[in-house]
Amino acid sequence: MSVPTTTLQYSFLQLGSYENLVKTEVPIAKIRANDVLVKVHAVSLQYRDLMISKGVYGANVPPNLVPLSDMAGEVLAVGEDVTGWKKGDRVCANFATDHIHGRTTPAIQQTALGGQAHGVLTQYRTFPAHSLVAIPEHLSYEEASTLPCAGLTAYNALHGPVPIKAGDFVLVLGTGGVSIFALQFAVAAGATVIATSSSDEKLKIAAKHGAKHLINYNTTPNWDEDVKKITNGEGVDHVIEVGGQGTLAKSIKSVKTGSGYVHIIGHVASGQGDTNVIFPLISNAVTLRGLLIGSVAQFKDMNRLIVANSEGTKPVIDKVFSYHEVITAYAYLESQKHVGKVVIKVA
């Protein structure tokens, strides 16, 4: 096929609601020497995308923002200086296109797709060649579209400064995208997973993916006490903390004294929670670690894990929407009825 010159994309004329998204045809950016033109096959949604749409993300975004950070697609053309990619390669772009390895920086953060930089809710897009990662062969485009944010965040949490090891206890809050990936990666590492949810049906799905202990936080509001009982009073080694202020105090009380990590990823929990977290934070010698996704190097490491454990780490997709159902997909994510990921099929 000939290289396209225009793309049909969604963008925000103004923030405040995802219903403000409009679809327009625009020219495709010229392929520079180190760029790769990609046909987007699928994209996935994050809680961050809801925050950005409502204008409460807390970071400056460009005018007429093209949203979403996570895509999987097919290389159509490469710039004259690109050597690592060829037409037909299946690729994902990293969440922050310039985060290649090591720590993040303010400059790198400005390349975060769908927020500080224009995103991937478009049919075609150019990317810097250095930002791309090959998709594992056994994954579909829809499955691969869940990897850049949810998958890599979970991987970075568990394989960060103190990597997870066999025999560890991991507490995952909820059954959203990051939590389900963390559950799978923890099981692959030989850890024991405790999962929480407000829904017994969602907990059954968590059990299907390897969670050994299940806690319904509606019927067990003091779930941190149950976590301590399950771990014989010790506490867990890692908490995947996606609730935020509504759950943080209990997460801190759930970790192992002197070595426990609370990986802070989101704030989807309702309510203010217990704001008196300083004493348990100190008395348990807890490490709170904020997560900003991960680098291209970590993405490649994660993909090796996924290939080596292809059955146990298969991305969990709740529902796939068409490219004409973008508003409906946002609304479904907002409902929190999903387990795993919400995906939009673009191509």
Side-chain angles (χ1 to χ4, degrees), residues 138 145 153 329:
H138 68 286
S145 75
T153 298

Side-chain angles (χ1 to χ4, degrees), residues 4-311:
T5 57
T6 63
T7 182
L8 204 58
Q9 70 181 25
Y10 285 86
S11 60
F12 286 105
L13 294 182
Q14 63 179 34
L15 298 177
S17 168
Y18 51 79
E19 294 186 0
N20 293 339
L21 280 168
V22 296
K23 188 162 57 172
T24 53
E25 188 172 20
V26 299
I28 296 172
K30 182 183 177 185
I31 306 173
R32 298 172 299 183
N34 290 296
D35 281 349
V36 175
L37 176 63
V38 177
K39 178 180 181 179
V40 178
H41 280 260
V43 296
S44 68
L45 286 164
Q46 325 296 330
Y47 185 75
R48 168 183 182 258
D49 300 318
L50 278 176
M51 296 174 62
I52 289 170
S53 74
K54 295 176 181 180
V56 295
Y57 181 53
N60 292 326
V61 302
N64 301 317
L65 175 72
V66 178
L68 305 197
S69 58
D70 288 24
M71 57 72 65
E74 169 191 3
V75 173
L76 292 186
V78 301
E80 58 188 17
D81 290 344
V82 174
T83 58
W85 302 107
K86 65 183 185 304
K87 183 179 178 181
D89 284 345
R90 301 192 323 138
V91 295
C92 289
N94 199 49
F95 177 90
T97 55
D98 284 354
H99 193 183
I100 303 170
H101 53 75
R103 70 179 184 89
T104 192
T105 66
I108 286 171
Q109 289 172 357
Q110 293 306 306
T111 68
L113 295 169
Q116 292 91 325
H118 286 298
V120 297
L121 193 53
T122 184
Q123 293 174 315
Y124 306 97
R125 193 189 190 283
T126 58
F127 296 94
H130 62 245
S131 72
L132 300 178
V133 175
I135 294 171
E137 289 183 8
H138 68 286
L139 296 184
S140 68
Y141 284 117
E142 289 79 10
E143 289 167 336
S145 75
T146 70
L147 299 178
C149 183
L152 191 53
T153 298
Y155 181 86
N156 190 1
L158 295 176
H159 292 271
V162 179
I164 189 174
K165 60 187 181 300
D168 280 357
F169 275 93
V170 176
L171 172 64
V172 298
L173 304 188
T175 53
V178 175
S179 298
I180 290 292
F181 268 117
L183 162 56
Q184 292 178 319
F185 293 157
V187 170
T192 300
V193 177
I194 305 169
T196 72
S197 176
S198 61
S199 161
D200 287 340
E201 291 304 310
K202 289 182 178 181
L203 287 173
K204 288 177 184 176
I205 298 173
K208 176 185 169 187
H209 289 284
K212 287 288 189 289
H213 303 278
L214 311 171
I215 303 174
N216 184 318
Y217 58 75
N218 278 344
T219 57
T220 310
N222 294 326
W223 47 264
D224 54 310
E225 296 174 4
D226 271 33
V227 170
K228 280 296 185 76
K229 290 175 186 173
I230 291 167
T231 58
N232 295 317
E234 287 281 306
V236 299
D237 300 274
H238 298 272
V239 181
I240 304 302
E241 170 53 78
V242 299
Q245 192 166 311
T247 54
L248 182 57
K250 287 186 172 66
S251 290
I252 290 171
K253 293 174 184 176
S254 297
V255 296
K256 188 175 288 184
T257 300
S259 63
Y261 269 77
V262 178
H263 304 281
I264 301 176
I265 291 151
H267 43 91
V268 301
S270 59
Q272 294 301 305
D274 180 1
T275 56
N276 183 23
V277 299
I278 301 302
F279 178 73
L281 184 63
I282 295 170
S283 63
N284 287 2
V286 175
T287 299
L288 298 184
R289 180 177 176 234
L291 266 290
L292 273 173
I293 325 299
S295 66
V296 169
Q298 287 174 309
F299 202 149
K300 293 176 180 177
D301 288 342
M302 176 185 70
N303 281 353
R304 281 195 288 272
L305 169 63
I306 289 172
V307 170
N309 298 270
S310 58
E311 290 303 315

